[in-house]
Amino acid sequence: MAIRLANLKDAEKIVDIANKIKIKYPNPQNTGFLVYILTKRQYEQRIKQTSFFYVSGDKDINGFLMCYDDKTLATLVKKGELNHENNLVNFILKQQRPYIFGDQIGVLSENIREGIGENMMGALFKDMKRKGIKDMYVGVLHKPFTNQASIEFCDSFGFKYISEVINEDNLAWGIYLLELR
């Protein structure tokens, strides 16, 4: 399975994946979920803005990983593009730079447990090391529902829970840190 950087042609499929794994209220999926999804245009903008946006597959993609370095995160906040995650990103912005913020990861449910997420993270870690970036932060939904699958995924890489914040929409997010050494 090929892991590569996303391009603009991938945006439509990324939207399809995001819609399929968006949280289902009131009974969230136990395989993990996304809380916030973007439009095709927004995913296209993010593809242009970051060099840390990966997909799995060539034409028929089945997963994506969208991350930002500290400079891109600051730009997105300044433009008002992450207002829904205000307290989460404000916490991250105060951390020592350089770092990566992992915003979204999604794999089609029929492809879970095939190593796609792990392989995309491996590509990210390789790029982080090449660019001298050692720290990665992610936010995982804790309340009103706990995204246990995402917590377990983070645990498998050695992420450590460091804090919890509540955004203006009253969703509580656990903040996890991975220190590559």
Side-chain angles (χ1 to χ4, degrees):
M1 110 193 54
I3 305 298
R4 61 177 173 78
L5 290 173
N7 62 55
L8 296 177
K9 293 176 185 175
D10 298 322
E12 192 168 325
K13 184 63 178 174
I14 291 166
V15 170
D16 290 342
I17 293 169
N19 280 315
K20 287 178 181 174
I21 62 173
K22 185 175 186 328
I23 187 170
K24 293 176 177 47
Y25 291 107
N27 300 307
Q29 310 86 302
N30 62 4
T31 54
F33 49 80
L34 292 178
V35 177
Y36 309 116
I37 61 171
L38 305 177
T39 65
K40 178 183 176 194
R41 185 172 172 273
Q42 289 171 314
Y43 280 116
E44 288 171 339
Q45 289 173 328
R46 302 289 169 89
I47 290 167
K48 289 187 224 176
Q49 291 169 312
T50 184
S51 58
F52 299 99
F53 199 138
Y54 306 87
V55 294
S56 171
D58 291 318
K59 292 180 182 157
D60 205 22
I61 67 171
N62 50 18
F64 71 94
L65 172 62
M66 182 172 66
C67 303
Y68 320 117
D69 64 15
D70 52 273
K71 293 176 192 83
T72 303
L73 180 63
T75 299
L76 291 168
V77 169
K78 189 174 182 179
K79 290 181 175 181
E81 295 183 31
L82 293 173
N83 289 344
H84 59 282
E85 297 181 288
N86 58 323
N87 291 327
L88 172 62
V89 294
N90 287 336
F91 181 95
I92 305 299
L93 286 170
K94 293 175 186 171
Q95 305 310 305
Q96 184 175 344
R97 298 172 182 202
Y99 58 77
I100 293 294
F101 173 61
D103 190 5
Q104 294 185 352
I105 185 168
V107 175
L108 290 172
S109 60
E110 59 265 26
N111 299 110
I112 288 181
R113 310 255 185 269
E114 293 180 8
I116 294 166
E118 291 85 353
N119 289 333
M120 289 188 295
M121 293 291 285
L124 169 66
F125 296 155
K126 182 178 173 186
D127 287 344
M128 287 174 63
K129 287 179 183 177
R130 190 170 42 80
K131 294 181 180 192
I133 302 171
K134 296 181 179 173
D135 295 338
M136 180 178 182
Y137 295 89
V138 298
V140 178
L141 186 66
H142 277 193
K143 294 174 190 156
F145 304 103
T146 302
N147 192 339
Q148 192 60 42
S150 290
I151 292 170
E152 291 170 9
F153 185 74
C154 288
D155 285 347
S156 73
F157 290 102
F159 280 84
K160 302 293 181 210
Y161 169 80
I162 59 169
S163 189
E164 185 174 272
V165 296
I166 299 174
N167 284 335
E168 288 179 7
D169 58 9
N170 288 320
L171 297 180
W173 294 85
I175 299 174
Y176 295 78
L177 166 65
L178 176 66
E179 298 172 302
L180 294 178
R181 300 294 180 236

